[in-house]
Amino acid sequence: QLVYPHDFRLTEKEKTSICYLSFPDSYSGGLGDTQFSFRLRQAGGPRSSPFQDDGRYNREAPLTLQREAAHYFGYVYFRQVKDSSMRRGYFQKSLVLVSRLPYVNLFQCLLQLIAPEYFDKLEPCLEAVCNEIDQWPPPVPGQTLNLPVMGVVIQVRIPSRVDKPGSSPVKQCNQENLLPAPLVLPSVHELDLFRCFQPVLIHIQMLWELMLLGEPMVVMAPSPSMSSEMVLALTSCLAPLRYCCDFRPYFTIHDSEFKEYTTRTQAPPNIVVGVTNPFFIKTLQHWPHILRVGELRMSGDLPKQVKVKKLAKLKTLDTKPGIYTSYKTFLHKDKTLIKRLLKGIQRKRPSEVQSALLRRHLLELTQSFIIPLEHYMASLMPLQRAITPWKNPPQIRPFCQEDFMKSLEHAGPQLTCVLKGDWLGLYRRFFKSPNFDGWFRQRHREMTQKLEALHLEAICEADIVAWMKDKSEVEIVDLVLKLREKLVRARCQHLPVKEETLQRVSLYIDTIIGSLPEDLQAVLHH
């Protein structure tokens, strides 16, 4: 019905998709308000972002919180109430916030404030809210922001790449006597993992492996809020490793990718998709891993745990909750974690404490897996003494899987993780996954930039006048052009180089040009 700000350009295809994704697509008798989220592939070519950002945010934010380039997130607040004046006897409306940032907590909290007002006062309310949001500062990683909206100040800290993984968020102290007292959000994005994973706690190991390997997976849930929370919880359980596959927290049969995902002529794509329509049981039967969750049931004090079942049992529309897969885990279950969580339930330990336990366990598991890879990757970097000013920097040596496997004997995950199992098999399978590819490219890019930076520093330390003594004009001009190109690249790619180093290289260039004949100087100055 309406889009704010008015100048935000969406294609017709995107508008249609957003409309379908903003309503529950299977009948849930629930009345009242529900919140959920979705992720949508951008249609049409790249569009410039309304934010003046030179890429600084993505360089400084954790990899898992980078601004998306080709997808939008949609955060939905849906209201359904009986209303006899309506043709269907119900008032049904959704307010949706669209962003490229995965700040699920911040945006859902914002919607809780705005949506009830909007359903009451309509457009003028949105106009007032947008005027306030326009004044918000940009999200700078590492900063604590105070965000005023509708008489409330939301206070959040934007995580930064230099935060220590697993450290608790810095206690926010710059209250500056804010009145009214701010609404402090402990995290912009972290879900209550314990609540999300309640029916599958005993299978957390298996789910972590499936995510690590980028396996295709369907989450079938009774409602969009359950499906979207489960998918977001699954994709977040690899942090600080980035989940590099596609994921759809909520997906409907009207989606433009429906045909692509349900075709049986090719293997299912590497994606986690959350659905609620029972029709998907038929169309996605050929997928290798299907997690069916029901409404949460308790058996005594404990949440009822789903069982692992054979895929062949997935026949009927009223399929029982379970993990339908023939996957065999590489690592053994961590019984101590499960015992600690169960003890916490019996002692009525708060959910956020349980979530912190769970998050720490997953973090340690991911780090045990990734640290040997990081060590091996670092060993491929050329020695610093091999970097000389007048030659191109040496290449990073190629990643050899067999060499890496040999290195595990004395520096493998067994040093930091008590879990036994077939770690080698897990690595072999990981090498075939998009997550390895994404991790490797990112590391390789960082190392190449580091080499470039070291090379620039080596040039600064060199005696340029001595080098020029026996060189021809052609060689000297060639050096000027190469140095210029390096300088431009260092600035464009924001290489990790000190500003003074760049200024010295710039001075070098001027010195060299100054030593050349005037006609050449004129050409080079142009």
Side-chain angles (χ1 to χ4, degrees):
Q1 286 181 345
L2 88 121
V3 175
Y4 250 91
H6 291 311
D7 57 358
F8 182 62
R9 288 207 317 280
L10 286 166
T11 63
E12 284 311 307
K13 188 175 173 186
E14 285 167 343
K15 280 184 187 165
T16 308
S17 294
I18 289 171
C19 288
Y20 279 125
L21 288 165
S22 303
F23 290 91
D25 75 338
S26 57
Y27 173 74
S28 51
L31 291 175
D33 297 357
T34 48
Q35 287 181 264
F36 56 93
S37 38
F38 60 79
R39 184 167 169 271
L40 169 79
R41 191 185 290 172
Q42 183 179 299
R47 264 161 278 178
S48 62
S49 158
F51 306 102
Q52 298 312 308
D53 176 51
D54 61 354
R56 179 185 166 189
Y57 173 80
N58 273 6
R59 283 195 307 280
E60 296 179 5
L63 295 175
T64 49
L65 289 182
Q66 286 183 328
R67 187 180 270 136
E68 291 253 6
H71 290 85
Y72 291 120
F73 288 98
Y75 303 95
V76 183
Y77 191 107
F78 169 68
R79 172 169 287 183
Q80 173 168 300
V81 284
K82 278 201 163 129
D83 182 345
S84 52
S85 69
M86 295 286 190
R87 201 170 50 141
R88 290 179 165 185
Y90 286 104
F91 166 91
Q92 289 176 312
K93 205 168 224 178
S94 282
L95 182 64
V96 187
L97 191 151
V98 177
S99 171
R100 293 186 186 280
L101 293 167
Y103 294 170
V104 59
N105 288 354
L106 173 60
F107 293 140
Q108 291 292 16
C109 167
L110 188 58
L111 283 172
Q112 282 168 14
L113 297 169
I114 304 170
E117 279 289 296
Y118 165 68
F119 293 136
D120 198 26
K121 303 199 171 85
L122 302 177
E123 194 165 346
C125 155
L126 280 195
E127 189 166 1
V129 163
C130 284
N131 286 337
E132 285 189 287
I133 293 176
D134 269 346
Q135 306 303 312
W136 287 5
V140 178
Q143 286 191 6
T144 295
L145 307 181
N146 292 313
L147 310 173
V149 63
M150 292 175 56
V152 177
V153 174
I154 304 174
Q155 191 175 82
V156 288
R157 181 180 179 278
I158 306 297
S160 155
R161 199 174 292 192
V162 295
D163 296 344
K164 198 165 153 278
S167 59
S168 56
V170 183
K171 286 282 172 278
Q172 290 148 358
C173 51
N174 58 345
Q175 305 274 332
E176 294 154 15
N177 304 330
L178 289 170
L179 286 173
L183 171 62
V184 179
L185 292 188
S187 161
V188 279
H189 68 291
E190 284 184 348
L191 295 165
D192 183 341
L193 273 195
F194 176 70
R195 190 173 51 78
C196 299
F197 283 148
Q198 271 192 341
V200 293
L201 289 173
I202 60 172
H203 306 299
I204 217 76
Q205 189 73 43
M206 175 191 271
L207 295 170
W208 175 83
E209 285 187 23
L210 291 173
M211 291 299 105
L212 181 72
L213 301 174
E215 286 286 309
M217 184 163 177
V218 186
V219 173
M220 294 185 173
S223 67
S225 42
M226 279 182 83
S227 95
S228 59
E229 283 207 321
M230 182 63 90
V231 171
L232 291 176
L234 286 167
T235 54
S236 75
C237 72
L238 296 182
L241 186 66
R242 184 186 190 156
Y243 178 76
C244 297
C245 308
D246 199 354
F247 60 98
R248 297 300 155 92
Y250 173 54
F251 186 77
T252 74
I253 53 176
H254 305 287
D255 210 285
S256 53
E257 278 103 67
F258 178 73
K259 280 198 176 70
E260 189 184 318
Y261 295 164
T262 51
T263 172
R264 295 187 179 224
T265 52
Q266 60 208 59
N270 299 89
I271 175 174
V272 183
V273 55
V275 300
T276 60
N277 193 327
F279 178 69
F280 279 106
I281 292 184
K282 258 198 170 85
T283 52
L284 298 178
Q285 237 171 20
H286 59 298
W287 279 46
H289 319 286
I290 295 176
L291 168 57
R292 171 89 195 219
V293 284
E295 294 294 350
L296 192 64
R297 295 204 170 77
M298 304 301 280
S299 53
D301 289 343
L302 308 178
K304 192 166 168 47
Q305 298 296 292
V306 305
K307 293 187 169 69
V308 175
K309 303 182 179 185
K310 292 197 169 58
L311 275 162
K313 295 237 168 83
L314 195 73
K315 285 280 186 279
T316 54
L317 294 186
D318 55 351
T319 303
K320 291 192 168 53
I323 301 180
Y324 292 83
T325 178
S326 54
Y327 180 80
K328 296 280 176 281
T329 55
F330 286 92
L331 306 180
H332 305 323
K333 260 184 198 163
D334 187 348
K335 299 228 168 71
T336 49
L337 169 80
I338 295 161
K339 279 183 190 146
R340 285 174 75 187
L341 290 171
L342 294 180
K343 191 182 280 178
I345 296 172
Q346 285 155 342
R347 290 185 177 166
K348 308 254 184 298
R349 198 186 282 149
S351 191
E352 58 269 25
V353 180
Q354 296 275 68
S355 278
L357 265 177
L358 202 47
R359 191 168 273 112
R360 158 149 279 141
H361 167 77
L362 292 165
L363 172 72
E364 285 169 0
L365 195 51
T366 301
Q367 284 180 323
S368 295
F369 183 81
I370 270 311
I371 286 168
L373 282 162
E374 298 277 7
H375 281 323
Y376 174 70
M377 194 76 186
S379 75
L380 303 177
M381 188 82 165
L383 296 170
Q384 199 148 350
R385 64 167 180 267
I387 300 167
T388 56
W390 316 122
K391 281 195 188 131
N392 279 333
Q395 297 286 306
I396 296 162
R397 288 196 299 285
F399 190 105
C400 167
Q401 293 182 12
E402 286 317 309
D403 286 354
F404 167 71
M405 290 304 210
K406 284 190 198 112
S407 77
L408 292 175
E409 287 165 27
H410 50 87
Q414 70 280 4
L415 298 181
T416 50
C417 188
V418 294
L419 283 192
K420 298 281 181 278
D422 179 10
W423 286 94
L424 296 184
L426 189 59
Y427 281 114
R428 282 216 164 83
R429 187 93 172 254
F430 177 66
F431 288 142
K432 298 189 180 98
S433 84
N435 289 329
F436 170 69
D437 189 55
W439 171 83
F440 176 76
R441 281 166 192 257
Q442 172 73 24
R443 276 290 167 270
H444 201 275
R445 191 181 312 120
E446 286 167 7
M447 285 162 72
T448 309
Q449 292 185 344
K450 178 78 180 143
L451 271 177
E452 279 277 326
L454 289 169
H455 193 222
L456 277 170
E457 279 164 25
I459 290 168
C460 273
E461 302 300 315
D463 182 347
I464 205 133
V465 182
W467 179 84
M468 281 164 53
K469 274 195 182 123
D470 56 347
K471 299 292 181 287
S472 67
E473 282 177 3
V474 173
E475 287 173 295
I476 291 172
V477 169
D478 187 49
L479 176 71
V480 169
L481 297 175
K482 275 188 178 150
L483 286 180
R484 268 193 183 157
E485 191 190 334
K486 273 189 161 312
L487 212 51
V488 169
R489 204 162 50 227
R491 293 207 188 278
C492 291
Q493 294 181 359
H494 302 273
L495 294 184
V497 190
K498 296 189 195 82
E499 183 55 39
E500 60 193 275
T501 304
L502 296 178
Q503 283 169 358
R504 277 176 71 182
V505 173
S506 194
L507 204 62
Y508 268 19
I509 295 173
D510 293 342
T511 310
I512 302 169
I513 293 176
S515 72
L516 292 165
E518 279 181 9
D519 55 338
L520 273 178
Q521 284 191 33
V523 172
L524 287 170
H525 278 310
H526 284 306

